[in-house]
Amino acid sequence: MLPSTDLFILNLLATFAPYLIVTVSLNLEYGYGGVPNFGKVLAVAGGAFMAGVIPGRLLAAVLGIDQGNFIGNNSQIIVKENGVLITSASLSLEIFVFTLLVSALVGALLGVIVAYPTRRLRADYLGMVLLAAGQVILVIGNNYPPLIGGTLGVSVPDPFQWAGSFAFAGLTPGDVRNIMAVAFMMIVAVIVFLYARRLTHSPLGRMLRAVRDDENSVLALGKDVERTRFKVIVFASAIAAVAGALYAFYTANVFYATFNRTGWTFWPWVMVILGGAANDWGVVAGTFIFVAVRQTITFYRDVFAPFLPFDVVWLDTLLLGLALLIILIYRPDGLIREKPIKTIKNAKPPFTGTEEAASPDSASERQEQSKGGLVDGLRSLFKSKKKSSPEKG
Amino acid sequence: MVDVVVLWSALVTSSLLSLLTIGLTLTYLTTRVPNFAHGSFASVGIYVGLVTAQVWGFNMYFGLLPGFLIGGAVALMQYLLFLRPMTRRNASVTALMVATIAFDILLIAILNIFADYLQNSFRLNSRYFLLSPYDFQIFGLRGIIVVAPVLVVAVVASLYLLLNKTKFGIAMRATIENPPLAGTIGINTNLVYIVSWFIAGGLAGMAGSVMSLWYIGNTDVGSNFFLISIFAAGVIGGIYNIYGAVIGAFIIGTVQSVLISTLATSFGAGIIPYQPLIPLIAMVATLLIAPSGIMGINYRALKKKLWRKPDAS
């Protein structure tokens, strides 16, 4: 068995990786594109449901297992499939990658369905419709058993079990399986993060910010605002769906209530706002801090429990909800503020992206304005030193 | 033919929804932000009703007044503690919306803690409870069927009187139309905002306090079951119009109940859980066809457009 501290870190990363993907996608939508997606859970649940639908049936067909009633005999079928998967790493990974791709496609499709009729709406109406849409997928997941077993849920074939044969140094096969699963999740998360970073540092990223900040100017420049908004919702939904599928693979089952509004819409919003919207590293920091705090509360719940006359779950919800409200009032920019993106090396940024752009004052004043953040302050110090030397020399 | 029970259900749903939607419209008019915590004000009311009936042992309908006061106080707290500081710091609409969602989560957590407390201290069934046995009978009907519509009529009438016949009501309308101008001529706009938030939360709490006579009460009834219907009703009625809110609520409430029961008789009972799809579709359709809702349509222009005789040339 793993020592409890290592288990803590493993659980932390297992929650961090899928949430990082969701927050990166939300950051694309909200931070860069200005789309208030309060229905993030729609895409996440869509992807997770696909992990419940696709791999189990596909493997049963490939391996020639009698499907009969797939939902009814779900556990027996999955046990049989896992018996095959444990011996074949290649088949496991093929199923894993294929399911992720299908999930991304389904996520994109859900994005199209919800974004197409709503792309012209103003922020407040858009928020309402997206929130309502996010609620609907749970209703379907709950009440349509052929999809993911309704109120019973379904098991998902485990594509990481083969790693158990590499057990070493007193670790159980289950531990190694979890480590391998977390490693794969982290790999996918890092790929998504780097890709999103490339995307936002491209001209498209600048256009997204422009759509967010001033629609009319963008229209005047001949850009299609609605199309841009549509694209970013579809793309972000595809990414978020992958996160849902990953999480389902890790927990090895899908149950509709796991994907509720609080868990997969609201928590990602807290993470993005805590870290700082439209800021890649800010979002990473926000996600990590949030997941770590929650994990700590859950980890020490037995310590709190005797002192509380209620379930510890609600304490954690209460504190984090309150924390978000306080951040929104006192530091709406989050821990790390949005910064201009430099796409050309060693060149002065032509566009600062924030409200500060409106006042084209001297560089020193701008530095003073951005003193608020620790990181900002350090960076501006560093910059001013760098800048001053060639001017004097 | 549609069953009579379905019609009663439609009437109760529409009435409770009206009370909720009027409040949503009021807060939207003043603060210009859709309040996602509005459904949970009703959940607060549900627990006021539970306490009235089972802890204090009063008639359920005595809960209406404490429901109004507590619901109003909660709404006021949301506005004064969170939304007003944010608007003063020039927060964006999206940030305000996030704040309302955060407050919603906060309320749900507090309600759950309160439900645990009720369960532990009073040995009450504080989750998924139905209080219909506490209702009285009137003309062979359940009391709520009569009380809910009467409540709507009373609320609409008193709102009409307040907004049109009193000095403060006219000041309220002026503030809604143009806050800076209203401030310039000496209207206390702060007080207007505070009163509208209090009334909004109060109506929702009042609706909530009798809600568990008809619906199964739980901590998430307002935020899960009612929230989308409230928004749909608000959008259909034209979210800038208080009387439109009532019309929108009756449309949504009736369509939801009648359409689902009609569909269930032809397609089987399996279709009933998909009820939440109806307000979503109605909302999207309204936003696409008539974005300003039923009260926002320019009927004269529409009539001209539709009845125009084909040109000879």
Side-chain angles (χ1 to χ4, degrees):
Chain A
M1 273 299 287
L2 278 169
S4 68
T5 45
D6 291 358
L7 205 64
F8 181 82
I9 294 171
L10 196 69
N11 280 337
L12 185 74
L13 289 178
T15 327
F16 174 69
Y19 269 112
L20 181 64
I21 301 175
V22 177
T23 48
V24 162
S25 82
L26 182 61
N27 193 30
L28 276 177
E29 279 172 320
Y30 164 66
Y32 289 96
V35 176
N37 192 345
F38 296 132
K40 205 67 243 177
V41 65
L42 174 74
V44 179
F49 289 2
M50 280 305 116
V53 170
I54 302 282
R57 288 186 171 83
L58 190 67
L59 273 175
V62 170
L63 303 174
I65 298 168
D66 177 32
Q67 289 199 17
N69 178 2
F70 178 76
I71 298 295
N73 308 325
N74 179 259
S75 46
Q76 292 104 308
I77 293 175
I78 299 294
V79 167
K80 275 185 199 162
E81 288 172 0
N82 280 344
V84 179
L85 285 182
I86 199 166
T87 58
S88 169
S90 63
L91 182 65
S92 298
L93 290 182
E94 279 164 22
I95 282 289
F96 177 66
V97 172
F98 178 75
T99 311
L100 289 193
L101 290 178
V102 173
S103 295
L105 258 178
V106 168
L109 192 69
L110 288 171
V112 170
I113 292 171
V114 57
Y116 186 76
T118 58
R119 66 201 192 285
R120 287 197 181 87
L121 297 179
R122 231 174 43 201
D124 41 2
Y125 289 111
L126 189 57
M128 287 184 222
V129 174
L130 290 174
L131 183 121
Q135 209 65 12
V136 162
I137 193 148
L138 298 183
V139 173
I140 294 171
N142 184 7
N143 295 303
Y144 187 63
L147 191 66
I148 53 152
T151 46
L152 297 171
V154 289
S155 300
V156 178
D158 189 346
F160 306 112
Q161 275 194 327
W162 48 270
S165 57
F166 301 117
F168 59 90
L171 296 181
T172 62
D175 289 335
V176 181
R177 178 264 169 194
N178 283 345
I179 293 171
M180 188 59 82
V182 169
F184 268 96
M185 278 157 69
M186 282 306 289
I187 291 170
V188 177
V190 168
I191 292 172
V192 167
F193 175 75
L194 291 177
Y195 184 73
R197 206 173 151 73
R198 285 292 291 177
L199 194 75
T200 49
H201 285 228
S202 70
L204 181 70
R206 285 199 299 275
M207 190 166 89
L208 271 176
R209 288 180 181 214
V211 166
R212 176 195 66 187
D213 289 337
D214 193 341
E215 276 184 30
N216 291 335
S217 317
V218 179
L219 280 173
L221 289 170
K223 302 287 185 190
D224 192 339
V225 171
E226 286 160 15
R227 206 179 152 76
T228 314
R229 209 174 276 154
F230 178 69
K231 273 188 198 163
V232 76
I233 295 179
V234 172
F235 181 67
S237 300
I239 296 178
V242 172
L246 279 177
Y247 191 73
F249 272 127
Y250 178 73
T251 55
N253 66 43
V254 185
F255 176 53
Y256 81 97
T258 321
F259 298 93
N260 54 18
R261 189 166 78 205
T262 313
W264 294 93
T265 297
F266 183 64
W267 293 151
W269 271 92
V270 181
M271 295 169 194
V272 168
I273 288 172
L274 172 71
N279 188 318
D280 301 327
W281 291 111
V283 166
V284 175
T287 311
F288 189 80
I289 292 171
F290 183 94
V291 172
V293 168
R294 277 206 82 191
Q295 188 79 28
T296 313
I297 294 177
T298 320
F299 196 70
Y300 291 107
R301 66 184 305 163
D302 297 338
V303 182
F304 296 127
F307 304 106
L308 296 174
F310 51 85
D311 199 340
V312 183
V313 178
W314 306 117
L315 178 74
D316 143 27
T317 315
L318 191 73
L319 290 180
L320 291 165
L322 204 60
L324 175 65
L325 283 166
I326 291 168
I327 294 168
L328 277 170
I329 296 172
Y330 293 107
R331 202 176 164 84
D333 292 337
L335 290 174
I336 306 177
R337 289 209 169 126
E338 181 179 0
K339 282 186 285 287
I341 289 175
K342 277 181 268 179
T343 38
I344 309 163
K345 267 187 184 171
N346 303 325
K348 225 179 161 186
F351 168 64
T352 49
T354 52
E355 312 89 276
E356 287 154 35
S359 58
D361 290 328
S362 62
S364 64
E365 198 161 296
R366 195 176 293 159
Q367 276 164 24
E368 255 179 358
Q369 279 180 341
S370 64
K371 247 178 196 168
L374 177 73
V375 180
D376 265 4
L378 284 176
R379 184 166 274 204
S380 65
L381 255 176
F382 182 65
K383 256 187 211 158
S384 68
K385 265 182 199 165
K386 227 178 174 182
K387 225 180 267 169
S388 62
S389 54
E391 274 168 17
K392 279 173 190 167
Chain B
M1 235 347 259
V2 181
D3 201 3
V4 177
V5 180
V6 175
L7 288 180
W8 292 140
S9 163
L11 187 63
V12 173
T13 312
S14 309
S15 304
L16 294 178
L17 203 54
S18 302
L19 294 176
L20 289 163
T21 315
I22 291 172
L24 180 84
T25 312
L26 256 182
T27 50
Y28 188 84
L29 280 172
T30 48
T31 325
R32 305 278 158 177
V33 55
N35 182 10
F36 289 105
H38 198 79
S40 286
F41 297 161
S43 308
V44 171
I46 286 177
Y47 280 86
V48 174
L50 179 72
V51 170
T52 315
Q54 296 203 332
V55 179
W56 298 336
F58 288 144
N59 187 317
M60 274 293 279
Y61 293 99
F62 281 120
L64 285 171
L65 184 66
F68 185 86
L69 294 178
I70 294 172
V74 170
L76 202 57
M77 205 167 77
Q78 180 188 12
Y79 174 65
L80 289 180
L81 291 183
F82 303 115
L83 295 184
R84 196 164 75 172
M86 282 180 72
T87 40
R88 289 199 172 157
R89 284 158 210 255
N90 291 325
S92 66
V93 177
T94 310
L96 286 170
M97 285 196 282
V98 177
T100 64
I101 295 182
F103 190 77
D104 186 35
I105 301 287
L106 207 65
L107 267 186
I108 293 174
I110 293 172
L111 280 174
N112 275 301
I113 290 170
F114 185 65
D116 281 353
Y117 164 77
L118 283 181
Q119 196 141 25
N120 295 336
S121 306
F122 296 94
R123 303 277 151 221
L124 287 182
N125 173 25
S126 61
R127 290 206 169 81
Y128 300 105
F129 51 87
L130 185 64
L131 301 179
S132 51
Y134 288 85
D135 208 349
F136 62 90
Q137 296 284 321
I138 184 168
F139 311 129
L141 293 171
R142 280 158 68 181
I144 183 81
I145 297 175
V146 179
V147 172
V150 169
L151 216 53
V152 175
V153 173
V155 164
V156 170
S158 40
L159 267 180
Y160 177 81
L161 289 178
L162 171 72
L163 289 175
N164 292 294
K165 302 289 174 192
T166 65
K167 211 171 174 187
F168 185 75
I170 293 165
M172 272 180 88
R173 274 161 58 208
T175 312
I176 288 166
E177 291 283 326
N178 191 337
L181 194 59
T184 320
I185 59 167
I187 290 170
N188 186 350
T189 50
N190 264 328
L191 185 67
V192 168
Y193 285 173
I194 286 172
V195 169
S196 356
W197 274 86
F198 189 80
I199 294 176
L203 292 180
M206 202 163 76
S209 67
V210 291
M211 198 174 267
S212 50
L213 290 172
W214 192 268
Y215 290 102
I216 290 172
N218 193 25
T219 49
D220 63 351
V221 168
S223 58
N224 269 349
F225 185 73
F226 268 98
L227 187 65
I228 298 170
S229 301
I230 298 172
F231 278 118
V235 167
I236 286 178
I239 204 150
Y240 295 101
N241 192 308
I242 292 170
Y243 311 112
V246 179
I247 297 174
F250 269 84
I251 292 175
I252 283 287
T254 313
V255 168
Q256 239 180 349
S257 309
V258 174
L259 187 66
I260 276 294
S261 72
T262 320
L263 288 178
T265 46
S266 43
F267 292 103
I271 208 159
I272 291 172
Y274 297 99
Q275 210 172 341
L277 275 169
I278 294 173
L280 174 70
I281 294 168
M283 181 156 66
V284 172
T286 312
L287 287 172
L288 289 180
I289 300 163
S292 45
I294 281 183
M295 299 301 274
I297 299 173
N298 186 347
Y299 286 101
R300 199 174 286 171
L302 191 71
K303 199 171 155 190
K304 250 185 200 167
K305 218 180 195 175
L306 291 178
W307 287 6
R308 192 173 50 196
K309 281 170 191 154
D311 287 338
S313 56

